[in-house]
Amino acid sequence: MDPEVPEKQEEPDDCWKFSVLYLCFYGFMAQVKPAESFITPYLLGPDKNFTREQVTNEITPVLSYSYMSVLVPIFLMTDYLRYKPVLILQSLSHVAICLLLLFGTTVLQMQFMEFFYGITMAARIAYSSYIFTLVTPKSYQKVASYSRSSVLLGVFVSSVLGQLFVSLGDMAFCTLNYISLGFVTFAFTLTLFLKRPKRTMFFNRRALEANGAVMYEVDAMQPTSITLVSQKPKAPRRWDWRQTALVKMMVELKNTVRSPRLKLWSLWWVFNSTGYYLVVYYVQILWDNISPSRENRGIYNGGVDAVATLLGAIASFSAGHVTLRWSVYAELVIFIITALQAGLLFLMNTTSNIWICYMGFVLFRSSHQLLVPIAIFQIAASLSKELCALVFGLNTFLATILKTIITLIIADKRGLGLHVNNQFFFYIGYFTLLAVIYLVRGLHVFGSYYREKKALQKAEAADDPATESNQTEDHTAATPPKA
């Protein structure tokens, strides 16, 4: 009897286009917070009147602690609760941040503000992965670019609006926070009308598979079989934790982690992202140290964020067109970018000109964004989409742990409680050390490649005379001697 052939998966109807458009619109609106570029001047100014030491050593460090504490729970909640509740939680956290900024007056209340900010950062995974439940796999790359572009456009518009309100409208930072509250409240209402998807990556698979859902890539790790029409369906087996998607992916990941490319770019993701985000967290405090907001209303934080976002997007797009033998030159390219970042941080930390500091940060941020899509491609090239998500999740978690440890030691008042300039000297040393390690490793890889290439050329050169000699002997033997 002929085997039962599964029906070909059909493209969803046009309603998925509206769902993708609606989600991208939410992603855009969730980023429109004109006051975000001016939080540090707001906290240090007459509205809140906190000291620079309180902001540097007591308030800002809570962001790293919060992010680390909620990252794993929110990751699991995102999959188990099927995205929408976590997006609602993210929007409510945005609202809570604005309310605390407006009405909070104590250090503890500002620490809660940073706690909610950590929740919004951890919940970004719900937005970035939700969109893949709306389309078929062949549309993944296209819709991923839509969602990412929506976020970047939102950040850009938010920064430009904030700068225009401050520079041209001479608007108070407090009023700017009220405007931000209006935008994030509207974004919250958008989440209430999002569709709740039926399928997810880890928890919501068995019921879906029973209804004939499409098999995930991780299922290809197990042999498949053909069900005959006359074959009686087997009784459902008891649940086995070893057959869960997460366990199967961990086993598969163990077999692929030996890849040099995967290890290199994962380590870059962990260590360089740690330094990058620490700089982003504290750069507003550095700017205020160079040009105090109490003494100068010419603050251009929003404009700098807008330019940095735009150049970062251009750098990310350009990286997709870079062709290079990455197996040979990857470490050297990373060395050049990391050494450049160390130099830019030194320039930012030693100059007394705020515009030079602004320019240094724009270049620092753009150089990091240049390598991000390359790292994503290099990591994802040999992995399934689900393993790729797991690897990025692990890399982000490890980076968060390292970031928290560094924050506790050098920034928190319970640790060294360093001044912002001394913190940036630490970051300079951190990136310099990474650059030296990448240089040594890059020279080793390039030297090995050069020696192998030279040995191969010698072997080919040694084979050529022998071939010519054999051909000459054959020709002589075939030619009869003259009489």
Side-chain angles (χ1 to χ4, degrees), residues 289-315:
N289 188 61
I290 297 174
S291 179
S293 56
R294 289 176 179 267
E295 305 170 6
N296 181 20
R297 286 291 296 176
I299 302 172
Y300 296 95
N301 296 8
V304 173
D305 286 339
V307 174
T309 301
L310 182 61
L311 289 183
I314 295 174

